[in-house]
């Protein structure tokens, strides 16, 4: 079975500073990896995904993530955050051969951007 | 516009009173699922369906039922709700094939059982 660990429940950061949200996973099979964002009172929106190929994945809103197979990590980064990036971010994994259907989520990281 | 629609968005009910949360998608997706989101636990899958009349349990199915009589609809049924089912619920849909697509989520239903 797959599992996802997001060690940071909350990350405070100042506007225009860089940020990294950490995600580690465990799985005995190949996986697909995802980052979702949840703005207040809204559903989940896909930020980016890793299926195969280049380990550096670029997503929407200036976010990117790097897949590191040896460290089983998929950390999310943004070089300069905005107030509007304040939201909760979820890392998720699915079995590689079933694609994105069954998603296993981490517990989420709340990003708090202040002026 | 491609979307997953859940109703209602907010619901307060009493213990034991049967309720249904509806979910509808307009993308002709085969796969649909329900998740619940709880603080500190992330999202956990309740039930899923791979096509009409095909449903199966997810990780936390106790106390829930689902049905899939039509491809577009996947209602979540709580026959006898209890306070531990107070949560934020999300419906999601995705195609079964095609690697370059994604799961689409509804706006969520916040349920309170008193």
């Amino acid at each position: 079975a797959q599992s996802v660990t997001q060690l940071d429940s909350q990350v405070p950061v100042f506007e225009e500073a860089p940020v990294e949200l950490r995600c580690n996973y465990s799985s005995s099979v190949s996986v697909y990896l995802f980052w979702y964002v949840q703005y207040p009172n809204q559903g989940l929106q896909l930020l980016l995904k890793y299926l195969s190929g280049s380990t550096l994945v670029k997503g929407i809103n200036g976010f990117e993530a790097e897949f590191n197979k040896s460290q089983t990590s998929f950390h999310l980064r943004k070089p300069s955050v905005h107030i509007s990036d304040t939201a909760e971010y979820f890392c998720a994994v699915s079995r590689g051969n079933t694609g994105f259907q069954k998603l296993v989520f981490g517990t989420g990281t709340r990003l708090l951007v202040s002026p | 516009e491609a979307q997953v629609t859940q109703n209602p968005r907010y619901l307060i009910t009493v213990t034991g009173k049967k309720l249904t949360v509806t979910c509808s998608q307009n993308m002709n997706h085969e796969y649909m699922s329900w998740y619940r989101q709880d603080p500190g636990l992330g999202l956990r899958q309740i039930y899923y369906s791979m096509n009409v009349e095909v449903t199966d349990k997810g990780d936390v199915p106790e106390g829930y039922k689902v049905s899939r009589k039509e491809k577009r609809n996947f209602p979540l049924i709580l026959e006898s709700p209890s306070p531990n089912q107070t949560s934020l619920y999300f419906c999601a849909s995705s195609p079964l094939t095609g690697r370059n697509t994604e799961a689409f989520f509804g706006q969520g239903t916040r349920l309170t059982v008193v």
Side-chain angles (χ1 to χ4, degrees):
Chain A
Q2 296 77 43
S3 68
V4 177
T5 302
Q6 292 181 250
L7 284 173
D8 306 306
S9 59
Q10 192 163 289
V11 173
V13 64
F14 289 110
E15 193 174 21
E16 297 184 9
V19 71
E20 177 179 87
L21 306 184
R22 297 181 293 169
C23 172
N24 287 87
Y25 70 92
S26 66
S27 176
S28 58
V29 299
S30 63
V31 294
Y32 294 163
L33 294 153
F34 307 83
W35 274 100
Y36 282 85
V37 60
Q38 184 181 28
Y39 298 106
N41 297 316
Q42 295 193 24
L44 279 75
Q45 179 183 5
L46 182 67
L47 271 179
L48 48 79
K49 60 189 175 188
Y50 172 78
L51 305 181
S52 65
S54 173
T55 57
L56 183 62
V57 180
K58 293 192 183 298
I60 62 172
N61 301 341
F63 284 92
E64 64 180 34
E66 184 152 20
F67 170 59
N68 188 318
K69 189 174 182 179
S70 63
Q71 297 187 3
T72 60
S73 67
F74 190 55
H75 300 332
L76 181 71
R77 301 186 184 100
K78 186 169 183 177
S80 176
V81 295
H82 300 130
I83 296 284
S84 59
D85 291 323
T86 294
E88 189 149 23
Y89 293 79
F90 291 95
C91 182
V93 63
S94 67
R95 285 171 60 100
N97 61 354
T98 60
F100 33 76
Q101 292 119 18
K102 167 67 184 293
L103 292 166
V104 176
F105 286 87
T107 51
T109 297
R110 189 171 296 278
L111 178 64
L112 299 169
V113 183
S114 52
Chain B
E1 180 189 353
Q3 59 185 3
V4 178
T5 303
Q6 295 178 227
N7 280 296
R9 292 288 311 277
Y10 302 91
L11 179 59
I12 301 175
T13 190
V14 295
T15 299
K17 186 177 181 182
K18 180 180 179 179
L19 67 90
T20 299
V21 184
T22 63
C23 173
S24 181
Q25 51 96 2
N26 63 359
M27 295 165 281
N28 202 37
H29 288 162
E30 296 87 358
Y31 188 93
M32 296 185 74
S33 61
W34 278 101
Y35 293 86
R36 62 177 287 173
Q37 181 183 1
D38 301 291
L41 296 177
L43 284 84
R44 295 174 293 167
Q45 192 182 56
I46 302 170
Y47 266 95
Y48 66 94
S49 168
M50 298 186 76
N51 217 323
V52 176
E53 303 292 1
V54 180
T55 63
D56 208 346
K57 297 177 181 178
D59 298 317
V60 287
E62 292 76 23
Y64 304 95
K65 283 176 57 177
V66 293
S67 70
R68 188 89 180 274
K69 292 183 170 53
E70 304 166 284
K71 197 172 187 180
R72 63 183 291 126
N73 296 323
F74 190 46
L76 179 69
I77 304 155
L78 285 72
E79 294 269 3
S80 182
S82 62
N84 65 11
Q85 292 178 298
T86 292
S87 187
L88 179 58
Y89 292 86
F90 287 101
C91 180
S93 77
S94 57
L96 270 182
T97 58
R99 294 170 70 246
N100 287 322
T101 55
E102 64 185 78
F104 290 82
F105 284 81
Q107 294 286 78
T109 296
R110 187 167 292 281
L111 172 66
T112 302
V113 183
V114 299

